[in-house]
């Protein structure tokens, strides 16, 4: 007779893997709607053929804002992605840029910043060509000017925030907005009273981490 504990663990893993698959399918569907992200969707489809679809949970202080951010997206343009994320909330592996850990840009920044990646080198869906993940910032958090060699495309999942890009000044963006940053261009974000949850993808030189300007 199969061990019930072992069967329960296998069932839990299967549910988690299906939740990751559903999330990535929803992201791929979103990426199919814009010429900028169509190449990323193609890479995600290729990465899915060898996916291990496993997440190792890791909690960071900013995680307390995640459920609020997902709930805020429930009736918005990214509702399908929000629903898929809700199923994964306990399993997400939150990370922080080592450059910011070594020199935090402000006293409370590390308590209000984190990201989780689903596609990329060593991720559940392995790819050497793209990174796809989520950025979470707590309310009233400023992410100061930074840059990276990778081209970057954001889709705002929830939260109205101000976005800045060198040469274009500050602008307000809400759920559903697409924000594009060319390689090496400095950019920044400043949250309002709500947390900011944004889907991002990196293309090109995806190995070098972001650095503050």
């Amino acid at each position: 007779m199969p061990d019930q504990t072992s069967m329960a663990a296998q069932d839990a893993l299967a549910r988690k893997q299906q939740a990751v698959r559903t999330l990535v399918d929803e992201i791929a569907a979103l990426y199919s709607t814009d010429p900028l992200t169509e190449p990323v969707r193609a890479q995600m489809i290729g990465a899915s053929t060898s996916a291990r679809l496993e997440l190792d949970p890791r909690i960071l202080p900013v995680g307390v804002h995640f459920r609020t951010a997902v709930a805020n997206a429930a009736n918005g343009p990214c509702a399908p992605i929000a629903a898929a994320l809700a199923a994964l909330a306990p399993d997400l592996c939150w990370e922080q840029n080592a450059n910011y850990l070594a020199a935090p840009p402000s006293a409370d920044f590390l308590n209000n910043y984190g990201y989780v990646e689903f596609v990329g080198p060593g991720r559940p869906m392995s790819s050497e060509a793209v990174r796809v993940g989520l950025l979470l910032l707590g309310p009233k958090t400023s992410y100061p000017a930074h840059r990276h060699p990778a081209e970057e495309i954001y889709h705002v999942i929830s939260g109205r925030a101000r976005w800045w890009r060198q040469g274009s000044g500050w602008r307000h963006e809400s759920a559903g907005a697409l924000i594009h940053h060319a390689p090496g261009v400095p950019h920044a974000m400043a949250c309002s009273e709500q947390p900011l949850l944004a889907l991002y993808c990196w293309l090109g030189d995806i190995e070098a981490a972001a650095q503050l300007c």
Side-chain angles (χ1 to χ4, degrees), residues 30-42 130 151-155 165 178-182 201-203:
L30 174 65
Y31 282 176
S32 70
T33 64
D34 191 278
L36 281 174
T37 48
E38 173 60 28
V40 183
R41 186 188 73 86
V130 299
E151 179 181 10
E152 181 176 58
I153 302 162
Y154 274 108
H155 287 83
R165 181 176 60 232
L178 183 150
I179 296 114
H180 177 245
H181 298 134
C201 62
W202 277 19
L203 304 93

PDB file of all heavy atoms in Angstrom, residues 30-42 130 151-155 165 178-182 201-203:
ATOM      1  N   LEU A  30      -0.023  36.787 -22.657  1.00  0.00           N
ATOM      2  CA  LEU A  30       0.140  38.240 -22.617  1.00  0.00           C
ATOM      3  C   LEU A  30       1.227  38.681 -23.588  1.00  0.00           C
ATOM      4  O   LEU A  30       1.063  39.669 -24.329  1.00  0.00           O
ATOM      5  CB  LEU A  30       0.488  38.682 -21.194  1.00  0.00           C
ATOM      6  CG  LEU A  30       0.824  40.159 -21.001  1.00  0.00           C
ATOM      7  CD1 LEU A  30      -0.395  41.037 -21.288  1.00  0.00           C
ATOM      8  CD2 LEU A  30       1.337  40.411 -19.578  1.00  0.00           C
ATOM      9  N   TYR A  31       2.325  37.970 -23.619  1.00  0.00           N
ATOM     10  CA  TYR A  31       3.452  38.351 -24.465  1.00  0.00           C
ATOM     11  C   TYR A  31       3.146  38.186 -25.950  1.00  0.00           C
ATOM     12  O   TYR A  31       3.850  38.765 -26.787  1.00  0.00           O
ATOM     13  CB  TYR A  31       4.683  37.538 -24.092  1.00  0.00           C
ATOM     14  CG  TYR A  31       5.387  38.003 -22.840  1.00  0.00           C
ATOM     15  CD1 TYR A  31       6.482  37.323 -22.326  1.00  0.00           C
ATOM     16  CD2 TYR A  31       4.968  39.141 -22.155  1.00  0.00           C
ATOM     17  CE1 TYR A  31       7.140  37.746 -21.190  1.00  0.00           C
ATOM     18  CE2 TYR A  31       5.612  39.573 -21.017  1.00  0.00           C
ATOM     19  CZ  TYR A  31       6.701  38.876 -20.534  1.00  0.00           C
ATOM     20  OH  TYR A  31       7.351  39.302 -19.402  1.00  0.00           O
ATOM     21  N   SER A  32       2.140  37.419 -26.278  1.00  0.00           N
ATOM     22  CA  SER A  32       1.794  37.229 -27.690  1.00  0.00           C
ATOM     23  C   SER A  32       1.078  38.439 -28.279  1.00  0.00           C
ATOM     24  O   SER A  32       0.857  38.494 -29.492  1.00  0.00           O
ATOM     25  CB  SER A  32       0.908  35.997 -27.852  1.00  0.00           C
ATOM     26  OG  SER A  32      -0.384  36.217 -27.298  1.00  0.00           O
ATOM     27  N   THR A  33       0.735  39.410 -27.429  1.00  0.00           N
ATOM     28  CA  THR A  33      -0.075  40.547 -27.888  1.00  0.00           C
ATOM     29  C   THR A  33       0.754  41.744 -28.326  1.00  0.00           C
ATOM     30  O   THR A  33       0.188  42.746 -28.756  1.00  0.00           O
ATOM     31  CB  THR A  33      -1.038  41.003 -26.776  1.00  0.00           C
ATOM     32  OG1 THR A  33      -0.277  41.478 -25.657  1.00  0.00           O
ATOM     33  CG2 THR A  33      -1.931  39.848 -26.323  1.00  0.00           C
ATOM     34  N   ASP A  34       2.092  41.679 -28.210  1.00  0.00           N
ATOM     35  CA  ASP A  34       2.908  42.847 -28.524  1.00  0.00           C
ATOM     36  C   ASP A  34       4.185  42.415 -29.242  1.00  0.00           C
ATOM     37  O   ASP A  34       4.816  41.435 -28.838  1.00  0.00           O
ATOM     38  CB  ASP A  34       3.269  43.594 -27.240  1.00  0.00           C
ATOM     39  CG  ASP A  34       3.890  44.951 -27.529  1.00  0.00           C
ATOM     40  OD1 ASP A  34       5.106  44.997 -27.813  1.00  0.00           O
ATOM     41  OD2 ASP A  34       3.167  45.956 -27.485  1.00  0.00           O
ATOM     42  N   PRO A  35       4.579  43.128 -30.300  1.00  0.00           N
ATOM     43  CA  PRO A  35       5.797  42.756 -31.030  1.00  0.00           C
ATOM     44  C   PRO A  35       7.052  42.763 -30.171  1.00  0.00           C
ATOM     45  O   PRO A  35       7.990  42.002 -30.429  1.00  0.00           O
ATOM     46  CB  PRO A  35       5.885  43.819 -32.137  1.00  0.00           C
ATOM     47  CG  PRO A  35       4.496  44.315 -32.311  1.00  0.00           C
ATOM     48  CD  PRO A  35       3.856  44.238 -30.959  1.00  0.00           C
ATOM     49  N   LEU A  36       7.098  43.623 -29.142  1.00  0.00           N
ATOM     50  CA  LEU A  36       8.273  43.672 -28.280  1.00  0.00           C
ATOM     51  C   LEU A  36       8.474  42.379 -27.508  1.00  0.00           C
ATOM     52  O   LEU A  36       9.603  41.960 -27.255  1.00  0.00           O
ATOM     53  CB  LEU A  36       8.150  44.842 -27.296  1.00  0.00           C
ATOM     54  CG  LEU A  36       8.457  46.240 -27.804  1.00  0.00           C
ATOM     55  CD1 LEU A  36       8.123  47.263 -26.726  1.00  0.00           C
ATOM     56  CD2 LEU A  36       9.919  46.364 -28.217  1.00  0.00           C
ATOM     57  N   THR A  37       7.371  41.753 -27.099  1.00  0.00           N
ATOM     58  CA  THR A  37       7.478  40.579 -26.238  1.00  0.00           C
ATOM     59  C   THR A  37       7.261  39.255 -26.970  1.00  0.00           C
ATOM     60  O   THR A  37       7.454  38.197 -26.374  1.00  0.00           O
ATOM     61  CB  THR A  37       6.476  40.685 -25.076  1.00  0.00           C
ATOM     62  OG1 THR A  37       5.182  41.043 -25.587  1.00  0.00           O
ATOM     63  CG2 THR A  37       6.924  41.733 -24.077  1.00  0.00           C
ATOM     64  N   GLU A  38       6.888  39.305 -28.238  1.00  0.00           N
ATOM     65  CA  GLU A  38       6.699  38.068 -28.989  1.00  0.00           C
ATOM     66  C   GLU A  38       7.961  37.192 -28.993  1.00  0.00           C
ATOM     67  O   GLU A  38       7.873  35.976 -28.809  1.00  0.00           O
ATOM     68  CB  GLU A  38       6.253  38.382 -30.419  1.00  0.00           C
ATOM     69  CG  GLU A  38       6.183  37.172 -31.334  1.00  0.00           C
ATOM     70  CD  GLU A  38       5.214  36.102 -30.854  1.00  0.00           C
ATOM     71  OE1 GLU A  38       4.232  36.458 -30.167  1.00  0.00           O
ATOM     72  OE2 GLU A  38       5.445  34.916 -31.160  1.00  0.00           O
ATOM     73  N   PRO A  39       9.182  37.776 -29.148  1.00  0.00           N
ATOM     74  CA  PRO A  39      10.378  36.927 -29.083  1.00  0.00           C
ATOM     75  C   PRO A  39      10.542  36.236 -27.728  1.00  0.00           C
ATOM     76  O   PRO A  39      11.071  35.126 -27.652  1.00  0.00           O
ATOM     77  CB  PRO A  39      11.527  37.913 -29.346  1.00  0.00           C
ATOM     78  CG  PRO A  39      10.898  39.048 -30.072  1.00  0.00           C
ATOM     79  CD  PRO A  39       9.515  39.165 -29.505  1.00  0.00           C
ATOM     80  N   VAL A  40      10.090  36.899 -26.657  1.00  0.00           N
ATOM     81  CA  VAL A  40      10.188  36.290 -25.329  1.00  0.00           C
ATOM     82  C   VAL A  40       9.231  35.113 -25.217  1.00  0.00           C
ATOM     83  O   VAL A  40       9.574  34.054 -24.667  1.00  0.00           O
ATOM     84  CB  VAL A  40       9.881  37.331 -24.232  1.00  0.00           C
ATOM     85  CG1 VAL A  40      10.063  36.722 -22.856  1.00  0.00           C
ATOM     86  CG2 VAL A  40      10.768  38.553 -24.400  1.00  0.00           C
ATOM     87  N   ARG A  41       8.037  35.279 -25.756  1.00  0.00           N
ATOM     88  CA  ARG A  41       7.080  34.173 -25.735  1.00  0.00           C
ATOM     89  C   ARG A  41       7.658  32.953 -26.440  1.00  0.00           C
ATOM     90  O   ARG A  41       7.535  31.823 -25.955  1.00  0.00           O
ATOM     91  CB  ARG A  41       5.782  34.601 -26.423  1.00  0.00           C
ATOM     92  CG  ARG A  41       4.664  33.564 -26.325  1.00  0.00           C
ATOM     93  CD  ARG A  41       3.472  33.964 -27.192  1.00  0.00           C
ATOM     94  NE  ARG A  41       3.778  33.784 -28.602  1.00  0.00           N
ATOM     95  CZ  ARG A  41       3.627  32.631 -29.259  1.00  0.00           C
ATOM     96  NH1 ARG A  41       3.194  31.554 -28.623  1.00  0.00           N
ATOM     97  NH2 ARG A  41       3.928  32.552 -30.537  1.00  0.00           N
ATOM     98  N   ALA A  42       8.314  33.173 -27.572  1.00  0.00           N
ATOM     99  CA  ALA A  42       8.913  32.063 -28.303  1.00  0.00           C
ATOM    100  C   ALA A  42       9.992  31.375 -27.471  1.00  0.00           C
ATOM    101  O   ALA A  42      10.092  30.141 -27.461  1.00  0.00           O
ATOM    102  CB  ALA A  42       9.499  32.569 -29.626  1.00  0.00           C
ATOM    103  N   VAL A 130      16.634  34.689 -22.084  1.00  0.00           N
ATOM    104  CA  VAL A 130      15.716  35.649 -21.480  1.00  0.00           C
ATOM    105  C   VAL A 130      15.575  35.369 -19.992  1.00  0.00           C
ATOM    106  O   VAL A 130      15.842  34.264 -19.511  1.00  0.00           O
ATOM    107  CB  VAL A 130      14.311  35.597 -22.135  1.00  0.00           C
ATOM    108  CG1 VAL A 130      14.389  35.927 -23.609  1.00  0.00           C
ATOM    109  CG2 VAL A 130      13.643  34.248 -21.912  1.00  0.00           C
ATOM    110  N   GLU A 151      18.063  44.655 -22.252  1.00  0.00           N
ATOM    111  CA  GLU A 151      16.816  45.325 -22.608  1.00  0.00           C
ATOM    112  C   GLU A 151      15.729  44.813 -21.667  1.00  0.00           C
ATOM    113  O   GLU A 151      15.721  43.633 -21.307  1.00  0.00           O
ATOM    114  CB  GLU A 151      16.440  44.999 -24.051  1.00  0.00           C
ATOM    115  CG  GLU A 151      15.145  45.627 -24.526  1.00  0.00           C
ATOM    116  CD  GLU A 151      14.798  45.253 -25.953  1.00  0.00           C
ATOM    117  OE1 GLU A 151      15.476  44.357 -26.514  1.00  0.00           O
ATOM    118  OE2 GLU A 151      13.861  45.846 -26.508  1.00  0.00           O
ATOM    119  N   GLU A 152      14.816  45.692 -21.261  1.00  0.00           N
ATOM    120  CA  GLU A 152      13.819  45.320 -20.253  1.00  0.00           C
ATOM    121  C   GLU A 152      12.427  45.779 -20.679  1.00  0.00           C
ATOM    122  O   GLU A 152      12.253  46.890 -21.175  1.00  0.00           O
ATOM    123  CB  GLU A 152      14.183  45.970 -18.920  1.00  0.00           C
ATOM    124  CG  GLU A 152      13.257  45.646 -17.776  1.00  0.00           C
ATOM    125  CD  GLU A 152      13.748  46.262 -16.481  1.00  0.00           C
ATOM    126  OE1 GLU A 152      13.898  47.505 -16.439  1.00  0.00           O
ATOM    127  OE2 GLU A 152      14.003  45.510 -15.533  1.00  0.00           O
ATOM    128  N   ILE A 153      11.460  44.898 -20.464  1.00  0.00           N
ATOM    129  CA  ILE A 153      10.062  45.224 -20.749  1.00  0.00           C
ATOM    130  C   ILE A 153       9.237  44.873 -19.522  1.00  0.00           C
ATOM    131  O   ILE A 153       9.253  43.728 -19.056  1.00  0.00           O
ATOM    132  CB  ILE A 153       9.540  44.462 -21.972  1.00  0.00           C
ATOM    133  CG1 ILE A 153      10.401  44.777 -23.203  1.00  0.00           C
ATOM    134  CG2 ILE A 153       8.080  44.817 -22.242  1.00  0.00           C
ATOM    135  CD1 ILE A 153      10.244  43.786 -24.315  1.00  0.00           C
ATOM    136  N   TYR A 154       8.532  45.854 -18.995  1.00  0.00           N
ATOM    137  CA  TYR A 154       7.646  45.660 -17.848  1.00  0.00           C
ATOM    138  C   TYR A 154       6.192  45.657 -18.293  1.00  0.00           C
ATOM    139  O   TYR A 154       5.800  46.412 -19.196  1.00  0.00           O
ATOM    140  CB  TYR A 154       7.805  46.804 -16.845  1.00  0.00           C
ATOM    141  CG  TYR A 154       8.908  46.671 -15.837  1.00  0.00           C
ATOM    142  CD1 TYR A 154      10.051  47.466 -15.925  1.00  0.00           C
ATOM    143  CD2 TYR A 154       8.804  45.786 -14.773  1.00  0.00           C
ATOM    144  CE1 TYR A 154      11.065  47.373 -14.988  1.00  0.00           C
ATOM    145  CE2 TYR A 154       9.812  45.685 -13.828  1.00  0.00           C
ATOM    146  CZ  TYR A 154      10.942  46.470 -13.942  1.00  0.00           C
ATOM    147  OH  TYR A 154      11.935  46.378 -13.012  1.00  0.00           O
ATOM    148  N   HIS A 155       5.383  44.835 -17.633  1.00  0.00           N
ATOM    149  CA  HIS A 155       3.923  44.965 -17.660  1.00  0.00           C
ATOM    150  C   HIS A 155       3.478  45.169 -16.213  1.00  0.00           C
ATOM    151  O   HIS A 155       3.792  44.347 -15.344  1.00  0.00           O
ATOM    152  CB  HIS A 155       3.251  43.710 -18.218  1.00  0.00           C
ATOM    153  CG  HIS A 155       3.401  43.534 -19.692  1.00  0.00           C
ATOM    154  ND1 HIS A 155       4.513  42.971 -20.268  1.00  0.00           N
ATOM    155  CD2 HIS A 155       2.565  43.860 -20.723  1.00  0.00           C
ATOM    156  CE1 HIS A 155       4.371  42.937 -21.583  1.00  0.00           C
ATOM    157  NE2 HIS A 155       3.198  43.475 -21.887  1.00  0.00           N
ATOM    158  N   ARG A 165      12.363  57.488 -16.884  1.00  0.00           N
ATOM    159  CA  ARG A 165      13.379  56.980 -17.808  1.00  0.00           C
ATOM    160  C   ARG A 165      14.165  58.170 -18.319  1.00  0.00           C
ATOM    161  O   ARG A 165      13.585  59.216 -18.646  1.00  0.00           O
ATOM    162  CB  ARG A 165      12.720  56.235 -18.960  1.00  0.00           C
ATOM    163  CG  ARG A 165      13.712  55.636 -19.970  1.00  0.00           C
ATOM    164  CD  ARG A 165      12.992  54.824 -21.040  1.00  0.00           C
ATOM    165  NE  ARG A 165      12.049  55.629 -21.788  1.00  0.00           N
ATOM    166  CZ  ARG A 165      10.771  55.293 -21.979  1.00  0.00           C
ATOM    167  NH1 ARG A 165      10.277  54.185 -21.454  1.00  0.00           N
ATOM    168  NH2 ARG A 165       9.976  56.077 -22.681  1.00  0.00           N
ATOM    169  N   LEU A 178       2.566  48.939 -20.409  1.00  0.00           N
ATOM    170  CA  LEU A 178       3.821  48.342 -20.861  1.00  0.00           C
ATOM    171  C   LEU A 178       4.883  49.429 -20.827  1.00  0.00           C
ATOM    172  O   LEU A 178       4.677  50.525 -21.352  1.00  0.00           O
ATOM    173  CB  LEU A 178       3.671  47.773 -22.269  1.00  0.00           C
ATOM    174  CG  LEU A 178       4.884  47.045 -22.859  1.00  0.00           C
ATOM    175  CD1 LEU A 178       4.428  45.958 -23.836  1.00  0.00           C
ATOM    176  CD2 LEU A 178       5.835  48.019 -23.580  1.00  0.00           C
ATOM    177  N   ILE A 179       6.019  49.127 -20.184  1.00  0.00           N
ATOM    178  CA  ILE A 179       7.120  50.088 -20.064  1.00  0.00           C
ATOM    179  C   ILE A 179       8.372  49.439 -20.627  1.00  0.00           C
ATOM    180  O   ILE A 179       8.726  48.318 -20.232  1.00  0.00           O
ATOM    181  CB  ILE A 179       7.345  50.503 -18.597  1.00  0.00           C
ATOM    182  CG1 ILE A 179       6.108  51.254 -18.076  1.00  0.00           C
ATOM    183  CG2 ILE A 179       8.572  51.373 -18.455  1.00  0.00           C
ATOM    184  CD1 ILE A 179       5.378  50.543 -17.005  1.00  0.00           C
ATOM    185  N   HIS A 180       9.028  50.138 -21.531  1.00  0.00           N
ATOM    186  CA  HIS A 180      10.206  49.596 -22.208  1.00  0.00           C
ATOM    187  C   HIS A 180      11.449  50.391 -21.820  1.00  0.00           C
ATOM    188  O   HIS A 180      11.430  51.624 -21.839  1.00  0.00           O
ATOM    189  CB  HIS A 180      10.007  49.653 -23.724  1.00  0.00           C
ATOM    190  CG  HIS A 180      11.197  49.178 -24.507  1.00  0.00           C
ATOM    191  ND1 HIS A 180      11.927  50.006 -25.322  1.00  0.00           N
ATOM    192  CD2 HIS A 180      11.784  47.957 -24.583  1.00  0.00           C
ATOM    193  CE1 HIS A 180      12.914  49.322 -25.876  1.00  0.00           C
ATOM    194  NE2 HIS A 180      12.849  48.077 -25.450  1.00  0.00           N
ATOM    195  N   HIS A 181      12.525  49.670 -21.461  1.00  0.00           N
ATOM    196  CA  HIS A 181      13.808  50.304 -21.176  1.00  0.00           C
ATOM    197  C   HIS A 181      14.863  49.701 -22.100  1.00  0.00           C
ATOM    198  O   HIS A 181      15.098  48.493 -22.069  1.00  0.00           O
ATOM    199  CB  HIS A 181      14.224  50.070 -19.716  1.00  0.00           C
ATOM    200  CG  HIS A 181      13.274  50.650 -18.723  1.00  0.00           C
ATOM    201  ND1 HIS A 181      12.826  49.956 -17.622  1.00  0.00           N
ATOM    202  CD2 HIS A 181      12.661  51.862 -18.680  1.00  0.00           C
ATOM    203  CE1 HIS A 181      11.994  50.716 -16.941  1.00  0.00           C
ATOM    204  NE2 HIS A 181      11.878  51.867 -17.558  1.00  0.00           N
ATOM    205  N   ALA A 182      15.476  50.535 -22.904  1.00  0.00           N
ATOM    206  CA  ALA A 182      16.551  50.078 -23.780  1.00  0.00           C
ATOM    207  C   ALA A 182      17.785  49.737 -22.944  1.00  0.00           C
ATOM    208  O   ALA A 182      17.926  50.198 -21.799  1.00  0.00           O
ATOM    209  CB  ALA A 182      16.879  51.172 -24.799  1.00  0.00           C
ATOM    210  N   CYS A 201      10.622  41.241 -18.234  1.00  0.00           N
ATOM    211  CA  CYS A 201      11.466  40.315 -18.976  1.00  0.00           C
ATOM    212  C   CYS A 201      12.732  41.052 -19.401  1.00  0.00           C
ATOM    213  O   CYS A 201      12.710  42.256 -19.664  1.00  0.00           O
ATOM    214  CB  CYS A 201      10.740  39.720 -20.176  1.00  0.00           C
ATOM    215  SG  CYS A 201      10.204  40.899 -21.424  1.00  0.00           S
ATOM    216  N   TRP A 202      13.816  40.317 -19.401  1.00  0.00           N
ATOM    217  CA  TRP A 202      15.113  40.820 -19.859  1.00  0.00           C
ATOM    218  C   TRP A 202      15.505  40.062 -21.114  1.00  0.00           C
ATOM    219  O   TRP A 202      15.333  38.836 -21.202  1.00  0.00           O
ATOM    220  CB  TRP A 202      16.181  40.595 -18.791  1.00  0.00           C
ATOM    221  CG  TRP A 202      16.237  41.626 -17.714  1.00  0.00           C
ATOM    222  CD1 TRP A 202      15.273  42.512 -17.369  1.00  0.00           C
ATOM    223  CD2 TRP A 202      17.335  41.850 -16.824  1.00  0.00           C
ATOM    224  NE1 TRP A 202      15.691  43.295 -16.323  1.00  0.00           N
ATOM    225  CE2 TRP A 202      16.952  42.903 -15.962  1.00  0.00           C
ATOM    226  CE3 TRP A 202      18.584  41.273 -16.671  1.00  0.00           C
ATOM    227  CZ2 TRP A 202      17.793  43.390 -14.972  1.00  0.00           C
ATOM    228  CZ3 TRP A 202      19.424  41.742 -15.678  1.00  0.00           C
ATOM    229  CH2 TRP A 202      19.035  42.801 -14.826  1.00  0.00           C
ATOM    230  N   LEU A 203      16.087  40.794 -22.071  1.00  0.00           N
ATOM    231  CA  LEU A 203      16.607  40.212 -23.298  1.00  0.00           C
ATOM    232  C   LEU A 203      18.013  40.752 -23.543  1.00  0.00           C
ATOM    233  O   LEU A 203      18.365  41.826 -23.054  1.00  0.00           O
ATOM    234  CB  LEU A 203      15.738  40.561 -24.499  1.00  0.00           C
ATOM    235  CG  LEU A 203      14.249  40.215 -24.457  1.00  0.00           C
ATOM    236  CD1 LEU A 203      13.433  41.397 -23.933  1.00  0.00           C
ATOM    237  CD2 LEU A 203      13.754  39.842 -25.847  1.00  0.00           C
TER     238      LEU A 203
END
